[in-house]
Amino acid sequence: MTDDPKNPDGDRSTDEPEAVSAPIGSVLAAAREAKGLTVADVAAATRLRAALVSAIERDDFEAGGGTFYARAHLRAIAKVVDADAEALVAEFDRIHGHSGSPVEVLEPGGGPPPAISAATVRRPAPRWAAAAVAVLVVLIAVLVVRAVSGHSDHQSTPRANPPAVTTSATPSPTPKPTPRPTTPKPTPKPTPTPKPTPVGVSLAVAAHGGQSWLQVKSASGVTLFAGELFDGNTRHFADKAQLTVVFGNAPVVAVRLNGAASTPPCAAQNVCTVQFKPAGSSVLGFG
């Protein structure tokens, strides 16, 4: 029974997670031992390092990247050992003062650079094209000069008088040569135009069916974004060379690289790091 006038029966609201009466790490360690699991078993099931699992059981959250990733690690471990994940996360937020709101890191220019479309970046014109045009102009000039000179020489040369035609003998007709059949030349096959190599990285990240936390860095190591991507939201990032993205809940994230749909290679994992380049993507690590 409680003196709270809003809840005279003293019943606990079912919408709030049950409070944790012991340290978070101790609760996880006790739940693991109750299931008969070792630290190595939990590490294998969550794809986290065994040293990170041991550190969390000691309430040391700096080993896994600080409080930013702690909530995801708590949920993953609690799921394996059958602990109340929401209660542990609520206790963690109460202790560390984390409200769960996204923290966005902006560049001095006022935000992440706009997405760059590969279609708008034109390849520089090859230098050999200008050289070929110059050679063609010279050849035409030479041909024109030769034609004019030959015409002038032809007009200045006196014509010889035609020989006298005698009627004493009838000349025999000259047989006409039989024309030879001409073999048609094969038509050359057109050379396929090579596809242009993508220039730069344009990345669109969307969350569907849940929310995920992201950390996006440029090729120079500048953090373009660090925070949560909520369900139904999409964010765009771009860089001239590469983008490195840490996904906190990869299965709910869809990615479009340079306008083409691309499934993250770590879609089956919760936390992973992926590097995106113009030619494709590669996984750098898990956990």
Side-chain angles (χ1 to χ4, degrees):
M1 187 69 67
T2 179
D3 296 334
D4 186 358
K6 296 183 179 180
N7 191 5
D9 296 334
D11 296 333
R12 183 182 299 273
S13 174
T14 58
D15 296 335
E16 298 180 358
E18 183 179 355
V20 179
S21 59
I24 296 175
S26 300
V27 173
L28 291 175
R32 172 179 59 77
E33 294 173 356
K35 289 200 66 173
L37 300 176
T38 65
V39 172
D41 295 334
V42 176
T46 59
R47 299 297 181 91
L48 299 176
R49 291 177 285 109
L52 177 57
V53 176
S54 297
I56 291 175
E57 289 186 354
R58 297 192 305 269
D59 291 309
D60 179 7
F61 300 100
E62 296 300 326
T67 58
F68 183 78
Y69 300 104
R71 298 170 78 246
H73 294 158
L74 286 176
R75 286 192 174 95
I77 297 174
K79 181 178 180 181
V80 174
V81 301
D82 292 337
D84 190 344
E86 296 305 322
L88 292 173
V89 171
E91 179 68 9
F92 176 84
D93 290 343
R94 184 186 68 79
I95 296 173
H96 296 274
H98 180 64
S99 60
S101 59
V103 179
E104 186 170 357
V105 180
L106 302 177
E107 291 185 340
I116 301 175
S117 174
T120 60
V121 181
R122 299 183 178 178
R123 299 178 62 187
R127 297 181 178 179
W128 58 262
V133 172
V135 172
L136 181 61
V137 171
V138 173
L139 290 177
I140 293 176
V142 171
L143 292 176
V144 171
V145 171
R146 288 186 178 181
V148 172
S149 301
H151 183 69
S152 300
D153 294 341
H154 179 72
Q155 290 183 347
S156 60
T157 303
R159 295 182 180 180
N161 294 327
V165 179
T166 59
T167 59
S168 58
T170 303
S172 58
T174 302
K176 296 180 180 181
T178 303
R180 295 181 179 180
T182 58
T183 303
K185 295 182 179 180
T187 304
K189 296 181 179 180
T191 303
T193 304
K195 295 182 179 180
T197 303
V199 178
V201 179
S202 177
L203 192 67
V205 184
H208 299 289
Q211 66 185 42
S212 174
W213 48 99
L214 300 176
Q215 184 181 49
V216 183
K217 290 187 177 181
S218 64
S220 60
V222 177
T223 300
L224 303 179
F225 176 79
E228 291 193 11
L229 181 66
F230 294 96
D231 186 14
N233 290 355
T234 302
R235 283 189 173 271
H236 299 270
F237 309 96
D239 191 83
K240 294 181 179 180
Q242 70 180 29
L243 289 171
T244 303
V245 183
V246 178
F247 296 95
N249 189 10
V252 303
V253 177
V255 178
R256 294 185 68 85
L257 176 60
N258 289 335
S262 173
T263 302
C266 60
Q269 306 298 328
N270 285 333
V271 180
C272 64
T273 303
V274 183
Q275 188 177 77
F276 294 91
K277 294 186 177 181
S281 61
S282 58
V283 180
L284 299 183
F286 302 98

